[in-house]
């Protein structure tokens, strides 16, 4: 069964079991999906209100973008767990001969790269949520401003959590060019993600 189609309780219980997947990467994707859903909700709560007629077109665009991102993150919940399972499968490959060892080693490396790329995609894409959260916090329905703030907080958690899962996989990858490329891209995003969250929370005056 796909993780994204489980009940909330079922997913949480599966996460807490002794099975290593779903783990932090899937949770990061879930955080991102939740953030996108909250942004979409605030946009919908703004659309159609006379008070917010001036931002109607913008909010429709925000809702559409958030919905698209939400669906991407839901798919990534399963992609992350599947990527981990591929590593486990590679480790179970036969290693009786030198040829088998070489094939197994290559498979492990490729699977580990895949397991790094999935959470990287989660974090990189979650970084796009801040601009949408800014739109609903500053110009959306003020009655739902805290939902926009929670979206910003979840977006930051998604980026940070996803990148931690990238980094733990990078430690097992021998392709230094691949490792350095992802490290550089993550560092650029991490440099500003905390500031983005704090800036948005600073716009919520209660």
């Amino acid at each position: 069964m796909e993780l994204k189609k489980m009940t909330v309780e079922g997913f949480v219980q599966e996460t807490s079991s002794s099975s290593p997947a779903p783990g932090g990467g899937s949770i990061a994707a879930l955080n991102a999906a939740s953030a996108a859903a909250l942004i979409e909700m605030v946009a919908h709560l703004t659309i159609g209100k006379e008070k917010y007629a001036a931002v109607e077109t913008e909010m429709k665009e925000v809702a559409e973008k958030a919905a698209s991102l939400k669906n991407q993150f839901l798919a990534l919940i399963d992609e992350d767990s599947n990527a981990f399972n591929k590593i486990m499968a590679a480790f179970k490959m036969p290693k009786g001969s030198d040829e088998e060892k070489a094939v197994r080693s290559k498979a492990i490396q490729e699977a580990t790269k895949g397991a790094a790329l999935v959470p990287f995609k989660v974090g990189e894409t979650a970084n796009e949520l801040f601009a949408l959260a800014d739109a609903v916090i500053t110009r959306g329905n003020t009655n739902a401003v805290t939902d926009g703030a929670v979206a910003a907080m979840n977006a930051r958690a998604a980026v940070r959590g996803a990148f931690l899962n990238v980094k733990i996989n990078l430690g097992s990858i021998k392709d230094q060019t691949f490792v350095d490329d992802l490290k550089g891209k993550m560092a650029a995003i991490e440099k500003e993600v905390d500031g983005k969250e704090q800036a948005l929370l600073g716009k919520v005056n209660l």
Side-chain angles (χ1 to χ4, degrees), residues 37-73:
L38 284 169
I39 291 167
E40 185 182 359
M41 181 191 79
V42 180
H44 284 311
L45 289 172
T46 307
I47 296 166
K49 301 287 192 302
E50 186 178 346
K51 180 180 177 181
Y52 302 101
V55 295
E56 176 101 4
T57 299
E58 180 188 12
M59 288 300 143
K60 286 180 178 178
E61 292 175 353
V62 168
E64 187 177 335
K65 289 177 183 176
S68 176
L69 289 171
K70 175 189 66 183
N71 291 329
Q72 286 184 53
F73 293 129

Side-chain angles (χ1 to χ4, degrees), residues 37 52 98 105 108 125 150 154-155 173 188:
Y52 302 101
D98 288 342
S105 179
I108 290 171
T125 309
V150 174
N154 270 17
I173 295 173

Side-chain angles (χ1 to χ4, degrees), residues 12-131:
V12 171
Q13 296 292 5
E14 181 63 24
T15 303
S16 67
S17 73
S18 58
S19 171
S26 290
I27 294 297
L30 177 61
N31 278 340
S34 298
L38 284 169
I39 291 167
E40 185 182 359
M41 181 191 79
V42 180
H44 284 311
L45 289 172
T46 307
I47 296 166
K49 301 287 192 302
E50 186 178 346
K51 180 180 177 181
Y52 302 101
V55 295
E56 176 101 4
T57 299
E58 180 188 12
M59 288 300 143
K60 286 180 178 178
E61 292 175 353
V62 168
E64 187 177 335
K65 289 177 183 176
S68 176
L69 289 171
K70 175 189 66 183
N71 291 329
Q72 286 184 53
F73 293 129
L74 286 172
L76 285 164
I77 292 172
D78 282 291
E79 282 185 39
D80 187 82
S81 289
N82 292 338
F84 176 81
N85 290 334
K86 286 179 182 178
I87 294 178
M88 294 298 97
F91 271 104
K92 292 177 182 177
M93 291 175 67
K95 50 181 178 179
S97 66
D98 288 342
E99 184 179 351
E100 286 178 340
K101 287 178 182 177
V103 171
R104 176 178 175 272
S105 179
K106 183 178 180 181
I108 290 171
Q109 284 294 304
E110 290 305 309
T112 306
K113 282 185 177 181
L117 286 172
V118 173
F120 174 74
K121 185 176 181 181
V122 171
E124 183 181 46
T125 309
N127 191 41
E128 298 175 21
L129 292 168
F130 291 104

Side-chain angles (χ1 to χ4, degrees), residues 82-190:
N82 292 338
F84 176 81
N85 290 334
K86 286 179 182 178
I87 294 178
M88 294 298 97
F91 271 104
K92 292 177 182 177
M93 291 175 67
K95 50 181 178 179
S97 66
D98 288 342
E99 184 179 351
E100 286 178 340
K101 287 178 182 177
V103 171
R104 176 178 175 272
S105 179
K106 183 178 180 181
I108 290 171
Q109 284 294 304
E110 290 305 309
T112 306
K113 282 185 177 181
L117 286 172
V118 173
F120 174 74
K121 185 176 181 181
V122 171
E124 183 181 46
T125 309
N127 191 41
E128 298 175 21
L129 292 168
F130 291 104
L132 300 178
D134 183 42
V136 297
I137 288 171
T138 58
R139 295 180 292 285
N141 191 322
T142 55
N143 292 323
V145 68
T146 52
D147 298 297
V150 174
M153 294 165 74
N154 270 17
R156 177 196 170 278
V159 174
R160 287 290 189 181
F163 284 174
L164 282 175
N165 280 268
V166 176
K167 291 172 183 176
I168 197 169
N169 282 297
L170 291 182
S172 302
I173 295 173
K174 298 175 182 177
D175 183 344
Q176 198 58 46
T177 301
F178 177 91
V179 171
D180 290 342
D181 179 55
L182 284 193
K183 280 186 176 180
K185 289 176 178 176
M186 286 190 295
I189 293 172
E190 287 181 318

